[in-house]
């Protein structure tokens, strides 16, 4: 501010002395020893070589169009401080060009902002009363819908802020794109304040409210829940929800257990349609050397349908965390844990069709891990646990080494670099038979299973199969079932964690939300 004051000619600076000179307090340059002769000549517009135009000695002397250009390049959060400097700055900061550029550069507004002239709303109003006011809710969120969770992306869309709920494609089509459903929107139609509208139901936008609890939590409330109801009552609402959200009809639901699961989910969602709490989540970071790009994937979960899983990497371990869940394993829980130091070399296709052969490979890896853990515990008792652990853990240095590591240990011929043939054993159930028939590598892993209500949860052994950068699978040994996962290709803004520590803390918090 001191620098700004000097440039503007305010405060205790040379500009202030000049105004004093003009008021007659120091008309003689000789009476002010701090002013040099050259400065006086420039002040008078005269140099030793003759008359020259005056040079601006403060920002106040610059043309308004130059000031507009300067102010347009400053962050919008700094402009209110600038407006308090002087009356001229305050007047210039009412120029819509400045705020239009801030809306575009900071929030990506691409809409033709001239439309606002019709409504009497300025670009400054859009920035201050809409974008800046609701900046904390931009990004990715998980709604508190009990065990079911969800994925909400709040974005600036034109002259609106919209909350889009991401719904998986209809089971079992994991490669189809996500379905987007608007939950709320915020816009500025008058100069007083922004308007919040609930988008739930089939009767159009209606009044809603948003309460920002903190930068990592906010809540929505609908004040006109009659807009959510249908003339045919709950039965019509249930049929519509089945058709739109699950891609089913009542006639499609044959099994009694599936009927109970679907009806339970519908009842729970209806209880939450008037108010919801959202907690911030982050897109998982990708580090150099990771097996593949971290991100969000759609996965098949038997009678529970498709669910969203977040794949993240933590050194030699990969974790799959549920973003959406079910009454058995709810959202927020770690559904998969992959030990990247335990590659499993697959047998030939004919042997792989035999479930017992695959089961043997997986259980052998589990037994090896248990033996090593026991040896580490014994070594720790003798005071050399850390050295033993460092010497015993094998970390693959490349995909080729990971794919062939088990073969090297067993003295078999190395697999050629590249893909391995893959086929599901005959006894393994799969919702989607259109899985890839070759893979890059396989690793030992564990999957979380539990009873209804997340009762008696336990991690059971399984096989992680990396097909390519966009697809992976997991064979649940105890359940004799196969889950296929396909990457979500959607792009998310304002979704990066500030640090790896912040992301790890978020994962811990997610588990506590539904534990």
């Amino acid at each position: 501010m001191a620098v700004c004051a000097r440039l503007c000619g305010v405060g205790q600076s040379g500009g202030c002395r000049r105004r004093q000179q003009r008021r007659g307090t120091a008309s003689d340059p000789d009476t002010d020893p701090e002013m040099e002769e050259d400065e006086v000549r420039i002040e008078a517009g005269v140099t030793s070589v003759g008359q020259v135009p005056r040079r601006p000695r403060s920002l106040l002397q610059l043309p308004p169009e130059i000031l507009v250009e300067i102010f347009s390049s400053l962050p919008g959060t700094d402009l209110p401080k600038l407006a308090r400097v002087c009356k001229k700055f305050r007047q210039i900061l009412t120029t819509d060009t400045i705020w239009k550029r801030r809306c575009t550069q900071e929030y990506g507004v691409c809409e033709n902002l001239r439309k606002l002239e019709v409504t009497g709303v300025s670009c400054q109003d859009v920035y201050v009363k809409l974008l800046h006011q609701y900046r904390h809710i931009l990004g990715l969120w998980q709604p508190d819908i009990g065990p079911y969770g969800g994925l909400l992306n709040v974005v600036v869309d034109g002259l609106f802020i919209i909350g889009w709920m991401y719904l998986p494609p209809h089971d079992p089509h994991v490669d189809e794109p996500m379905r987007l459903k608007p939950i709320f929107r915020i816009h500025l139609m008058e100069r007083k304040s922004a308007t919040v509208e609930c988008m739930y139901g089939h009767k159009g936008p209606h009044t809603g409210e948003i309460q920002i609890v903190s930068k990592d939590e906010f809540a929505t409330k609908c004040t006109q829940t009659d807009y959510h109801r249908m003339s045919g009552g709950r039965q019509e609402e249930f049929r519509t929800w089945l058709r739109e959200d699950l891609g089913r009809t009542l006639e499609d639901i044959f099994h009694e257990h599936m009927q109970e699961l679907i009806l339970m989910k519908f009842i729970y969602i209806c209880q939450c349609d008037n108010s919801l709490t959202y907690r911030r989540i982050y897109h998982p970071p990708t580090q150099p050397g990771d097996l593949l790009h971290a991100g969000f994937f759609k996965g098949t979960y038997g009678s529970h349908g498709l669910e969203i899983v977040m794949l993240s990497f933590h050194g030699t371990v990969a974790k799959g965390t549920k973003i959406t869940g079910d009454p058995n394993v709810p959202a927020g829980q770690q559904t998969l844990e992959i030990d990247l130091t335990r590659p499993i070399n697959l047998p030939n296709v004919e042997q792989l069709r035999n479930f017992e052969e695959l089961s043997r490979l997986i259980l052998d890896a589990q037994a090896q891990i248990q033996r090593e853990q026991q040896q580490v515990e014994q070594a720790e008792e003798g005071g050399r646990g850390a050295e033993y652990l460092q010497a015993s853990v094998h970390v693959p240095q490349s995909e080729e080494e990971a794919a062939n590591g088990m073969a090297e240990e067993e003295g078999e011929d190395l697999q050629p670099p590249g893909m391995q043939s893959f086929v599901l054993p005959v006894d393994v159930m799969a919702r989607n038979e259109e899985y890839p028939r070759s893979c890059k590598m396989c690793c030992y892993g564990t999957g979380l299973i539990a009873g209804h209500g997340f009762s008696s949860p336990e991690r059971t052994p399984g096989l992680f199969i990396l097909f390519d950068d966009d697809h992976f699978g997991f064979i649940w040994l105890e359940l004799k079932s196969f889950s296929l996962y396909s990457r979500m290709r959607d792009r998310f803004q304002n979704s990066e964690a500030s640090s790896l520590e912040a992301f790890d803390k978020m994962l811990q918090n997610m588990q506590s939300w539904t534990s």
Side-chain angles (χ1 to χ4, degrees), residues 123-398:
C123 294
Q124 183 176 1
D125 291 330
V126 173
Y127 185 94
V128 174
K129 299 178 181 179
L130 177 66
L131 302 177
H132 182 72
Q133 180 177 347
Y134 289 96
R135 68 192 183 281
H136 290 310
I137 70 171
L138 298 178
L140 294 176
W141 304 84
Q142 187 177 54
D144 184 9
I145 313 180
Y148 302 104
L151 181 63
L152 180 83
N153 188 24
V154 183
V155 299
V156 176
D157 190 344
L159 297 177
F160 293 86
I161 292 178
I162 302 180
W164 294 99
M165 188 70 77
Y166 279 69
L167 304 176
H170 296 144
D171 184 35
H173 307 293
V174 294
D175 280 330
E176 291 185 1
M178 298 291 289
R179 296 174 295 124
L180 275 64
K181 181 178 182 180
I183 301 300
F184 63 83
R185 70 180 185 183
I186 314 170
H187 58 96
L188 196 67
M189 297 304 294
E190 55 184 19
R191 298 179 66 88
K192 295 182 180 179
S193 61
T195 299
V196 178
E197 293 178 327
C198 176
M199 303 291 288
Y200 193 86
H202 294 78
K203 296 183 180 180
H206 47 284
T207 307
E209 298 176 358
I210 287 182
Q211 178 186 6
I212 301 177
V213 180
S214 67
K215 67 181 182 65
D216 293 326
E217 182 177 338
F218 76 96
T220 59
K221 181 179 180 181
C222 176
T223 58
Q224 293 179 290
T225 53
D226 54 304
Y227 273 70
H228 303 176
R229 308 281 75 87
M230 290 185 172
S231 57
R234 286 296 190 189
Q235 187 174 9
E236 182 184 359
E237 293 171 16
F238 180 56
R239 288 181 176 272
T240 303
W241 176 78
L242 270 178
R243 183 177 62 254
E244 294 182 354
D245 284 38
L246 300 183
R248 298 173 179 271
T249 64
L250 287 175
E251 293 73 20
D252 295 332
I253 308 173
F254 302 108
H255 301 290
E256 183 177 351
H257 177 62
M258 184 176 293
Q259 293 175 0
E260 293 176 354
L261 290 174
I262 291 176
L263 183 59
M264 185 187 308
K265 184 175 183 179
F266 173 73
I267 293 174
Y268 205 108
I269 290 176
C270 288
Q271 293 174 347
C272 302
D273 67 353
N274 63 330
S275 61
L276 270 177
T277 298
Y278 298 86
R279 299 183 179 95
R280 185 182 296 281
I281 61 176
Y282 300 113
H283 191 283
T286 296
Q287 300 296 317
D290 285 348
L291 189 62
L292 69 158
H293 291 290
F296 296 100
F297 290 77
K298 303 154 283 182
T300 55
Y301 278 84
S303 57
H304 297 297
L306 296 188
E307 298 184 9
I308 302 175
V309 171
M310 176 175 62
L311 182 69
S312 57
F313 291 89
H314 309 264
T316 60
V317 174
K319 297 180 180 180
T321 304
K322 281 195 172 187
I323 302 300
T324 61
D326 52 68
N328 291 70
V329 179
Q333 296 301 316
Q334 186 180 314
T335 179
L336 302 177
E337 182 172 302
I338 315 304
D339 188 343
L340 300 176
T341 69
R342 303 292 171 177
I344 293 180
N345 194 50
L346 297 179
N348 60 53
V349 173
E350 291 305 319
Q351 290 179 311
L352 188 56
R353 293 183 188 276
N354 184 347
F355 179 77
E356 298 301 326
E357 178 64 20
L358 179 64
S359 177
R360 181 188 65 81
L361 292 174
I362 297 173
L363 294 178
D364 284 350
Q366 182 188 41
Q368 178 66 22
I369 292 174
Q370 293 174 346
R371 285 194 299 269
E372 291 179 1
Q373 289 176 343
Q374 292 175 356
Q375 292 171 349
V376 169
E377 293 173 358
Q378 295 172 358
E380 286 178 345
E381 295 177 358
R384 55 188 183 88
E387 292 81 357
Y388 179 84
L389 181 62
Q390 184 177 5
S392 62
V393 173
H394 168 68
V395 180
Q397 300 300 314
S398 65

Side-chain angles (χ1 to χ4, degrees), residues 355 358 422 424-425 428 461-463 465 473-477 481-483:
F355 179 77
L358 179 64
F422 177 80
L424 282 176
V428 174
L463 180 70
I465 310 106
F474 190 81
I475 295 178
W476 308 74
L477 193 60
S481 67
F482 170 74
S483 293

